[in-house]
Amino acid sequence: MVAAHGSHSASSGEWIACLDKRPLERSSEDVDIIFTRLKEVKAFEKFHPNLLQQICLCGYYENLEKGITLFRQGDIGTNWYAVLTGSLDVKVSDTSNHQDAVTICTLGIGTAFGESILDNTPRHATIVTREYSELLRIEQKDFKALWEKYRQYMSGLLTPPYGVMETGSNNDRMPDKDSMSSSVPSEKILRAGKILRNTILSRAPHMIRDRKYHLKTYRQCCVGTELVDWMMQQSPCVHLRTQAVGMWQVLLEEGVLNHVDQEHHFQDKYLFYRFLDDEREDAPLPTEEEKKECDEELQDTMLLLSQIGPDAHMRMILRKPPGQRTVDDLEFIYEELLHIKALSHLSTTVSSIFISVFNQGEEGTSWYIILKGSVNVVIYGKGVVCTLHEGDDFGKLALVNDAPRAASIVLREDNCHFLRVDKEDFNRILRDVEANTVRLKEHDQDVLVLEKIPAGNRISNQGNSQPQHKYIVMSGTPEKILEHFLETMRLEATLSEATDSVLNDFIMMHCVFMPNSQLCPALMAQYPFPSQGTEQEKMDYALNNKRRVIRLVLQWAALYGDLLQEDEAAMAFLEEFYVSVSDDTRMIAALKEQLPELEKIVKQISEEPKASQKKHKVLLQLFNTSDDRAQKRQPIRGSDEVLFKVYCIDQTYTTIRVPVSSSVKEVISAVADKLGSGEGLIIVKMSSGGEKVVLKPHDVSVFTTLSVNGRLFACPRDQFDSLAPLPEQEGPSTGTVGTFELMSSKDLAHQMTVYDWELFNCVHELELIYHTFGRHNFKKTTANLDLFLRRFNEIQFWVVTEICLCSQLSKRVQLLKKYIKIAAHCKEYKNLNSFFAIIMGLSNVAVSRLSLTWEKLPSKFKKIYAEFESLMDPSRNHRAYRLTVAKLDPPIIPFMPLLIKGKLGCYQNY
């Protein structure tokens, strides 16, 4: 072996110079440099940070020229290696003559080898560099020490037999395959397997070949890691290795792909897998016609597998005994469980999938969560009392009370999947939760509850390990929560670093449980000088405490901005607080650092109301501000006035001018002034279809909640039944296809995105809270959010209207193509709101029933539309959408209806 220490070029970077040092000579800065470089290397992307940190302490750098023999078959090994750049051939000989060695595979970037040093067995193959290569080397004694300390992390990362090629004892093996999957693969999955096999043989035939391992030949096999690599290269819908693993697991479950040693779960490792067609010795090669067909069907197949793959991956992990689950497995389960309703606030260890029912009166032994399907809850004498669906749980009551089952559970459909937690594990979960909970009591009542959670294992720039746990607020009285956040705030951090996500939640959500009328006095109460202690102690305490209060006030004022000007209590507090801080700077000079920023915020907020009085904003009918598009759109405030038509029963109207945030009671008063009488009047919201809703007197900001063609009516209560929609509410009678087809799809999508961004940018986070908890409870408007939500409906119905008003078949086909193109560009511009609006418009029953139109649509557009439509899959809390958003860099325009439906439930935890 030729080692070229010190001969690397200067461009290799200082991390190599750090690796060239002896381990004892490496400083914490050296280790940080090596760590930063290695965590970007594919070979180490799955390594736990603790393990990678130790590798940085004991690893060495090697670079070898082409044709160098690293070691020979039969040698006793002394080192373990990982490939950083280049590639190496693995050669095996059936005789003792190395000249007879045959290359069985190639090790590329990201692979690791040499684990035989753990038990001093001879090398199973000869390794020769195929090209100039750079390696990381770890000596035997160091590697053994790592193995002993980090076995749980390393066993899932090494190649067999130290990984998982060995079958293990019978007690640890999975159930027979027949109990896990259908004995005959489904037609769709059978076809999917054939398409993937034929495509591999067409595009990468070297992947399916005879392979040798431990002197045994495995016929026509693929390697797990190569299959994952290949699948990620074939489709943009596959962007995570775990996603590809789940897709291959689908084939493995149905027997279309098989592990050579009959393992029941697919792994991203150097393990051998064989397609069902290759089980036969005379397996046919695909014809040219079959290759062409497979190329055409490949993307549809990838889309199908990507949709069902996560469920297969989840089943694969849950079928493993708990002790065999890797760190990656547990992270995957945790991410999935976060989106299951029954477990949205609980992280737990789960034991297995179990498909069963139990009867009323039986002993309770497990807790269940429904992953798929639904069940009926049946009680003797009452029948079916309720139905539970995906995300619901059952069986907890009997475990908590140690009592018989209070009801029977009956499956409503075939193929239901449950997650089962045994009674012993359930009790342990409860004990663990309580053991990690800290309670502060006053007068025998909990006033603050904290929970200890992992904080992540980070290494500071000084090489010191940061705390591995932290405490987060679970519940408490508002005053105690505020006090806790002030006590734990980091003063040395900048304003943006000083608040963690929980504190940000408190600041954002305080209006729900601690309105400004309570928050402002509480902040002032935390600000005064202490009354006890020596003068120096009082001064030290006062300085730190006052700085924390100022920091929190700055954060609060920055978050709420000019919305505070509508709250008299908040404005009075800010002015009083600023005066108090100004006075204190005479005694505590250190407070002067924060005074300019506080002065800037107070001045900015207090001056804006004066500016708005000079320029009175009046919004037009239906908030159509397109007459002044040259100006940047400004957020609508509750105090802004609106000119609005309110219709009477004879379909005449009166125009009123009232603040946007006006209540229905105030609208009735304004209408009565115009009509001369308001006795017995009610305000009715009527849609174009004739649906009528009587608005309640305390409802606020009703103008912006109207549907696209909705109108407000005022009438006596006894004439409610006589109300009818206006002719203008019926919408257009002719389409604009002649003009529309002349416009560029990309330009349209761009202009839609610009307009949507202006609408979205005006929505303040607080409007989401007001919308969730009921704006009448806060007497606040959600006008900007309402307009943005209505924009979604406008686009959706625009799509439906244009297509349904087009009478010519060929023109309708062109319209379908046009809208699919616009949707694609909206997705490209990260305008997910308009993207989904268009797709939902195309999915509307009025459009989807146009079978002749869809038949004429070219297959290319059908595939694109099918891919887009799959993103609306609601399963697992809209996993498809969440995965799409996760890989987009901001700024994005989110799919707001889903955000309202699915995300805001988390705010209700306070």
Side-chain angles (χ1 to χ4, degrees), residues 390 869-880 898 901:
E390 177 184 312
E869 196 175 34
S870 70
L871 296 177
M872 296 194 301
D873 179 9
S875 62
R876 296 293 170 82
N877 196 14
H878 296 269
R879 178 204 278 122
L898 180 59
K901 174 188 173 185

Side-chain angles (χ1 to χ4, degrees), residues 220-232:
Q220 294 298 95
C221 294
C222 308
V223 172
T225 51
E226 293 178 4
L227 288 174
V228 171
D229 289 338
W230 180 84
M231 183 165 280
M232 293 188 68

Side-chain angles (χ1 to χ4, degrees), residues 55 152 185 189 195 224 322 359 486 495 646 671 719 725 760 771 813 860:
I55 289 175
Q152 66 182 103
I189 302 304
I195 289 170
N359 295 316
L486 288 172
L495 181 59
V646 178
V671 171
Q719 296 181 12
F760 176 63
H771 179 94
V813 174
K860 171 186 174 183

Side-chain angles (χ1 to χ4, degrees), residues 454-494:
N457 189 22
R458 298 184 298 106
I459 305 298
S460 68
N461 293 332
Q462 290 76 31
N464 300 322
S465 183
Q466 299 294 314
Q468 296 187 5
H469 295 89
K470 64 179 181 180
Y471 287 89
I472 63 169
V473 176
M474 299 302 294
S475 63
T477 63
E479 293 77 14
K480 283 297 176 184
I481 294 176
L482 175 63
E483 186 178 316
H484 169 75
F485 284 137
L486 288 172
E487 289 176 352
T488 57
M489 184 180 290
R490 292 167 49 216
L491 287 173
E492 72 278 6
T494 62

Side-chain angles (χ1 to χ4, degrees), residues 817-836:
K817 292 169 60 177
K818 188 87 169 180
Y819 280 122
I820 291 172
K821 287 181 181 178
I822 294 172
H825 289 305
C826 284
K827 185 170 181 284
E828 177 187 348
Y829 292 137
K830 295 181 284 190
N831 182 358
L832 300 182
N833 202 60
S834 287
F835 167 77
F836 278 103

Side-chain angles (χ1 to χ4, degrees), residues 55-249:
I55 289 175
C56 295
L57 290 170
C58 62
Y60 293 90
Y61 171 84
E62 303 278 356
N63 63 342
L64 307 172
E65 299 297 334
K66 177 181 178 181
I68 300 299
T69 300
L70 195 62
F71 53 73
R72 296 185 181 277
Q73 184 177 341
D75 290 350
I76 301 298
T78 57
N79 295 283
W80 177 81
Y81 301 89
V83 183
L84 303 178
T85 65
S87 58
L88 302 94
D89 286 333
V90 180
K91 299 185 176 185
V92 174
S93 172
D94 292 334
T95 67
S96 58
N97 191 344
H98 298 303
Q99 302 298 324
D100 298 333
V102 177
T103 300
I104 61 170
C105 67
T106 299
L107 304 175
I109 296 172
T111 55
F113 57 95
E115 294 86 354
S116 63
I117 60 175
L118 288 172
D119 52 13
N120 291 319
T121 56
R123 299 290 196 188
H124 304 300
T126 299
I127 305 294
V128 180
T129 53
R130 187 183 184 90
E131 56 187 310
Y132 173 82
S133 303
E134 294 176 290
L135 310 176
L136 182 86
R137 174 175 61 87
I138 297 180
E139 294 178 349
Q140 185 178 35
K141 60 179 176 58
D142 295 321
F143 191 77
K144 283 186 174 182
L146 292 177
W147 174 257
E148 291 300 320
K149 187 173 182 179
Y150 298 102
R151 183 190 299 257
Q152 66 182 103
Y153 299 131
M154 296 178 70
S155 60
L157 301 167
L158 305 185
T159 54
Y162 308 98
V164 273
M165 180 69 97
E166 70 274 14
T167 59
S169 66
N170 290 333
N171 291 334
D172 292 333
R173 290 186 61 80
M174 297 297 299
D176 292 336
K177 195 163 191 172
D178 289 341
S179 67
M180 295 175 55
S181 61
S182 308
S183 57
V184 178
S186 68
E187 188 174 327
K188 284 200 301 186
I189 302 304
L190 197 61
R191 178 62 181 166
K194 186 177 291 291
I195 289 170
L196 292 179
R197 173 186 178 268
N198 290 346
T199 306
I200 289 175
L201 288 172
S202 173
R203 300 181 181 181
H206 65 279
M207 288 176 58
I208 303 178
R209 65 177 189 270
D210 293 350
R211 298 177 185 269
K212 285 189 176 182
Y213 190 81
H214 279 232
L215 305 182
K216 181 178 179 180
T217 301
Y218 297 89
R219 293 187 56 261
Q220 294 298 95
C221 294
C222 308
V223 172
T225 51
E226 293 178 4
L227 288 174
V228 171
D229 289 338
W230 180 84
M231 183 165 280
M232 293 188 68
Q233 295 167 4
Q234 305 309 308
S235 173
C237 71
V238 186
H239 51 276
L240 295 173
R241 298 188 73 83
T242 53
Q243 192 179 359
V245 167
M247 294 165 70
W248 287 115
Q249 179 64 26

Side-chain angles (χ1 to χ4, degrees), residues 534-573:
T534 64
E535 288 302 317
Q536 185 61 42
E537 288 173 343
K538 289 180 183 180
M539 192 61 68
D540 292 342
Y541 179 84
L543 173 60
N544 290 329
N545 200 56
K546 287 177 182 290
R547 288 176 63 194
R548 291 189 178 100
V549 175
I550 296 171
R551 179 68 66 86
L552 194 145
V553 170
L554 289 172
Q555 184 80 8
W556 168 70
L559 189 62
Y560 277 66
D562 58 1
L563 292 180
L564 292 176
Q565 65 190 233
E566 298 180 5
D567 191 313
E568 293 181 3
M571 293 299 297
F573 162 73

